[in-house]
Amino acid sequence: MNSSIRLKQTIIVGAILLLVAFLFTRDIKGLVKPTEENGKMPASGQMTDAQAPTSSSVLSIETSSTAAKNVINKNLATDITALENSYKTAKGIEKIELAKQLAQKWDDVEQITPSALYLEIVAEGNPSSTSWLASGNRFLKAFESTQDSLAQPALLQKANTSFKNALEQDSTNIEAKTGLGVTIVNGLGAPMQGIAMLLDVVSKDPKNLKANMNLGLFSIKSGQFDKAIPRFKTVIATAPTPEAYFYLGTALENLGRNKEAVDAYLASKKLAANPTLSSFIDKKIVELKNKN
């Protein structure tokens, strides 16, 4: 292979790793957090048995609740403990209702994992496409938000199961199919199977935000930057977010469209309004302008 071609490929790979590592190791106001990269999933995109511990061995309401209480206001923690004590002694419909309340309480204080675990209990006690979809969405959000490499596979597995259960209740539920496709792309199955599901979703719902976002991310990770751009632009046209603009900038930069990349990065910086991201983007913009 020509040495200049090898050098160019090395530079591109390095840029991808830098950008992805930045997002995957920082909590930046809604920016995409760890997924199957960062050494948490095997290269094939599928988790091995050794890398997929049973959910119950990693996640439990007790441990998740205890950990979450350590990072919230003490008065709020006390209120939640009282509600949990009532939940433990309740039975039947009352127990399900208390689980709903606890899921909301944890969601209110942005503690996603215990919220998801209570929504799972609600879905088990009152199975419906809606209840399983709520459980799946919350587990997927927890998976995307955590940097705990032990919890991630368990959260992803629970999301996968919840979406499957939602589809069993309603096979036409596009949101559940999207969620299932995302879990597969992120490691629970052959990636192309998940991609096929997401492509089917956008064929029926062209502006689907979650499907387009994940198709764009997969395109970046597979080096198909030209295919990523329209995906992120679709997301931005409907609901502009810092991560959509940032990844649009990533795709544009890797295609040598530096001026457009700068505009996308600046839009990401403005929306996120985060000092860490701002500093990173400022350096990135200087680098890109020096290339022109």
Side-chain angles (χ1 to χ4, degrees):
M1 182 185 295
N2 184 284
S3 61
S4 64
I5 295 176
R6 286 200 300 268
L7 177 59
K8 184 177 181 181
Q9 289 179 338
T10 301
I11 292 171
I12 290 174
V13 170
I16 297 170
L17 291 175
L18 175 63
L19 292 167
V20 172
F22 174 75
L23 290 177
F24 285 168
T25 56
R26 289 162 176 81
D27 183 5
I28 302 177
K29 193 181 178 182
L31 282 173
V32 175
K33 301 180 179 67
T35 52
E36 78 274 18
E37 296 291 336
N38 206 21
K40 294 177 177 65
M41 303 289 176
S44 66
Q46 291 179 282
M47 287 188 289
T48 64
D49 290 340
Q51 289 171 302
T54 60
S55 299
S56 59
S57 69
V58 177
L59 298 174
S60 73
I61 286 178
E62 290 75 15
T63 56
S64 297
S65 174
T66 299
K69 286 173 187 173
N70 288 331
V71 296
I72 66 173
N73 177 278
K74 288 186 178 180
N75 291 332
L76 291 172
T78 299
D79 291 343
I80 289 175
T81 297
L83 196 59
E84 286 178 331
N85 289 336
S86 297
Y87 167 81
K88 289 175 184 176
T89 58
K91 298 184 182 302
I93 296 175
E94 182 187 4
K95 197 173 188 73
I96 295 173
E97 184 56 39
L98 287 169
K100 287 182 184 178
Q101 293 179 35
L102 282 161
Q104 186 60 56
K105 286 281 189 183
W106 282 122
D107 192 45
D108 289 343
V109 293
E110 299 182 341
Q111 296 301 311
I112 308 170
T113 297
S115 176
L117 289 167
Y118 277 111
L119 283 177
E120 181 183 42
I121 290 170
V122 172
E124 289 171 342
N126 185 21
S128 68
S129 181
T130 300
S131 61
W132 278 118
L133 181 61
S135 171
N137 283 335
R138 199 65 53 82
F139 276 123
L140 188 57
K141 185 177 179 181
F143 163 76
E144 293 171 343
S145 300
T146 187
Q147 294 183 31
D148 184 336
S149 59
L150 289 177
Q152 278 190 326
L155 289 166
L156 191 64
Q157 181 63 65
K158 281 184 171 290
N160 180 273
T161 300
S162 293
F163 289 129
K164 285 180 178 177
N165 288 338
L167 286 169
E168 285 182 4
Q169 298 285 332
D170 178 9
S171 61
T172 66
N173 191 310
I174 287 182
E175 192 175 352
K177 188 171 186 178
T178 303
L180 183 60
V182 172
T183 65
I184 293 172
V185 169
N186 278 291
L188 289 182
M192 292 313 299
Q193 178 190 0
I195 293 300
M197 294 181 75
L198 295 178
L199 288 172
D200 184 55
V201 168
V202 295
S203 72
K204 297 180 174 68
D205 181 13
K207 294 183 179 180
N208 187 286
L209 296 178
K210 188 181 290 185
N212 275 293
M213 188 69 187
N214 280 274
L215 285 168
L217 287 171
F218 185 84
S219 294
I220 280 186
K221 291 169 187 176
S222 59
Q224 301 176 82
F225 304 111
D226 57 330
K227 291 184 178 180
I229 290 172
R231 297 299 179 191
F232 296 129
K233 284 187 174 180
T234 296
V235 174
I236 289 166
T238 305
T241 61
E243 65 268 39
Y245 272 116
F246 193 97
Y247 281 120
L248 174 61
T250 303
L252 290 165
E253 178 185 353
N254 280 282
L255 289 173
R257 295 162 63 177
N258 293 342
K259 186 179 183 303
E260 295 170 86
V262 167
D263 291 340
Y265 286 138
L266 285 173
S268 177
K269 172 183 172 180
K270 183 178 180 180
L271 282 177
N274 178 278
T276 305
L277 178 63
S278 295
S279 176
F280 179 86
I281 286 179
D282 288 342
K283 293 176 183 177
K284 174 59 64 178
I285 289 172
V286 170
E287 175 189 329
L288 289 176
K289 286 184 175 179
N290 285 338
K291 290 181 180 180
N292 293 333

